[in-house]
Amino acid sequence: MVATASRASPTQQDDEAKVVKKVFRRLMWFLLILFVCSYLDRINMSFAALSMNKALGLSATMFGLANTVFYIAYVSAEIPSNMALARFGARIWIPRIMITWGIASTACMFAVGPNSLSALRALVGLAEAGFMPGVLLYITFWFPPAYRARAFSLFIMAQPITLMFGSTVSGLILDMNGAVGLAGWQWLFLLEGVPSVILGIVAWFYLSDSPTKAKWLNANEKATLAHALAHSQPQQSKPTADGRSIWRELLSAPVVLLSLTYFGVANTLNANSTWVPQIVRAMVPDGSFTMVGLLIAIPPAITVCLMPLWCAHSDRKRERIWHFVLALALAASGFLCIINFDAALLKFLGLIGVAVGAFSAQSIFWAMPATYMSERARPIGFALVNTVGMLGQSVGPLIIGALKDLTQSFNPGLVYVVLVIGFSIVCILAVSSKRVRNLQLQPDIS
C-alpha cells in the first residue's frame, strides 16, 4: 500500500521550513565535523602508504589486505552497532564509537609490519562500525523526506572536505618525518586520531536522541516537526510476535536491489579515497608530498561546490533515480579517462569527474532507502544496506591491489570499478520498476 500524506497548508509549510532550518543549524555542522574525523581516520591509510609501505615492507597486495581487514571487521559489527544505537540512543552510542575508534586509529602508529598493521586496522574497523549508517539513521529522525537529500549531502560533504583539507594537511604531516624520532606516517596516525577522542566527549553533551528530547526546540517546534515526520512515514504492516514483518521489509525486492546498488557505489568511493594518492604520485613522481597533497585537494574542492547544487535540485524536483544514475555515470566516465588517456591533464579531469560523480551519487542514494522501510525497520535496514556496501569496500582494495601487483598498472583495477558501477546502475533502474505493494517509494520523490 502506498504511503500517502495530505498536503500541508502554506502556513504549515512555512512553520515546517523554519523548524527544519533550525535543526540544520543546530545539528548538521556538528555531524559534518564528526564525519570529517571519521573519514580522516579511514583515509589516512592511503596517505600514510606514500612512506609507510616502504618502511614496513608492504606490497600493494599487503596494503590492500590491511584495508580489506578493516572493512571485514567493520561489517561484522555494523548491524549490532546500529541496533545498539536504537536501544541506547545517539547521545550515548555515537560518542562511544568516536572515542574508541580515535584510540584505535592512533594506535596504528605502533605497527611494525603487515601483520601488526592488519590487526590494528581490524580494531579500527570494529570500533568505527555503525557510525555512518547510525548517523544517516539519526538524520531521518529529524528531517522529513523533502529535506533529506540536502541533509545527507551536507553530512556526506565531509568526505570531499576531508580529502580536500586532509590531503594538504597529511602531506605537511608526512614531511615532518624524523621529528622527535617518529616517522612521518606515525605522526599522521597520532595527529589525526586524537581529535576524534576529544570530539567524542563533546558529542555526549551536545547531541539529543530525538526531537522530543531536544531542549533547544520549544513545544510548537516539536509538534510541527513530529507532524511532518509522522505524515512522511511508509504505512507499517502489523508486527508479528517473531518480527517476521520487519524481515519482509528488509528482504523485499527494492531493499535487496538498493543494497546491491550500494555495493557498486562503495567500490567507487573506496577506489577514489584509497588509490588516488598513489595515482597522483605516479603523475608527479618528482613532486614533494606537499605538492601531491595539494593536487589531490583540487577534485574534492570542486565536489564541495557542485554536490550541494545537484542534491538540492533533486529535492526540488522530488526525483532520485535519474539524479543518481547521471552522477554515477559521471564517475564511470572519470575512471575511463584515467584508464584511456596518457596526458596528465586528462587523467586529472577524470579524477575530478570521479569525485563529483561518486559523492553526489552517494548523497542522492541515501535519500531513497528510508522510503521503503518503516521506522522500526530502519536501524537494521540502514545497517544492512551499508553492510553490503562495506563488503564492496572490503574486496575492492584487495582486487585492485592484486591487479596492480600483477600488471604494474592501476588500469585493470579501475576497469573492475567501472564494471561494478554499471552493475549499480542496472540495479537502481530495476528498483524504479519494482513496486512492492506494502512499501513503495512515495509518489512525490520517486
Side-chain angles (χ1 to χ4, degrees), residues 102-217:
I103 293 171
S105 182
T106 302
C108 290
M109 65 183 291
F110 300 113
V112 294
N115 293 335
S116 59
L117 179 65
S118 294
L120 289 167
R121 294 306 291 177
L123 291 177
V124 178
L126 288 172
E128 189 186 335
F131 174 78
M132 181 178 173
V135 176
L136 292 170
L137 172 67
Y138 182 63
I139 289 172
T140 68
F141 297 164
W142 296 86
F143 294 96
Y147 301 91
R148 283 180 188 159
R150 280 165 284 183
F152 290 145
S153 171
L154 186 57
F155 176 63
I156 290 170
M157 198 185 296
Q159 294 173 305
I161 286 175
T162 305
L163 289 171
M164 181 172 58
F165 291 107
S167 60
T168 304
V169 172
S170 295
L172 293 171
I173 293 174
L174 285 173
D175 283 333
M176 291 174 58
N177 187 56
V180 198
L182 296 178
W185 62 270
Q186 291 177 308
W187 277 112
L188 195 67
F189 287 122
L190 175 62
L191 296 180
E192 294 183 355
V194 171
S196 297
V197 179
I198 297 172
L199 281 171
I201 297 171
V202 174
W204 190 85
F205 294 97
Y206 191 82
L207 295 178
S208 303
D209 286 328
S210 65
T212 58
K213 297 181 179 180
K215 295 180 180 179
W216 44 274
L217 291 176

Side-chain angles (χ1 to χ4, degrees), residues 235-302:
Q235 183 172 334
Q236 299 183 23
S237 56
K238 185 176 180 180
T240 58
D242 59 3
R244 282 178 295 178
S245 61
I246 290 180
W247 287 104
R248 280 198 292 269
E249 294 179 32
L250 300 180
L251 297 178
S252 64
V255 175
V256 170
L257 288 168
L258 284 168
S259 300
L260 294 174
T261 298
Y262 198 58
F263 178 90
V265 176
N267 263 281
T268 307
L269 293 164
N270 181 268
N272 180 66
S273 63
T274 302
W275 301 104
V276 164
Q278 295 182 56
I279 292 173
V280 173
R281 182 60 168 171
M283 291 167 56
V284 286
D286 298 326
S288 67
F289 290 134
T290 301
M291 177 185 292
V292 171
L294 289 172
L295 288 173
I296 294 169
I298 294 175
I302 295 173

Side-chain angles (χ1 to χ4, degrees), residues 58-140:
L58 303 180
S59 66
T61 302
M62 291 175 182
F63 174 73
L65 180 60
N67 280 278
T68 295
V69 167
F70 165 88
Y71 289 112
I72 291 174
Y74 188 111
V75 165
S76 68
E78 186 163 30
I79 291 178
S81 180
N82 245 35
M83 294 174 69
L85 185 145
R87 179 176 179 181
F88 298 112
R91 183 171 174 265
I92 291 176
W93 201 248
I94 290 177
R96 193 288 302 164
I97 292 174
M98 294 193 63
I99 292 169
T100 54
W101 102 50
I103 293 171
S105 182
T106 302
C108 290
M109 65 183 291
F110 300 113
V112 294
N115 293 335
S116 59
L117 179 65
S118 294
L120 289 167
R121 294 306 291 177
L123 291 177
V124 178
L126 288 172
E128 189 186 335
F131 174 78
M132 181 178 173
V135 176
L136 292 170
L137 172 67
Y138 182 63
I139 289 172
T140 68

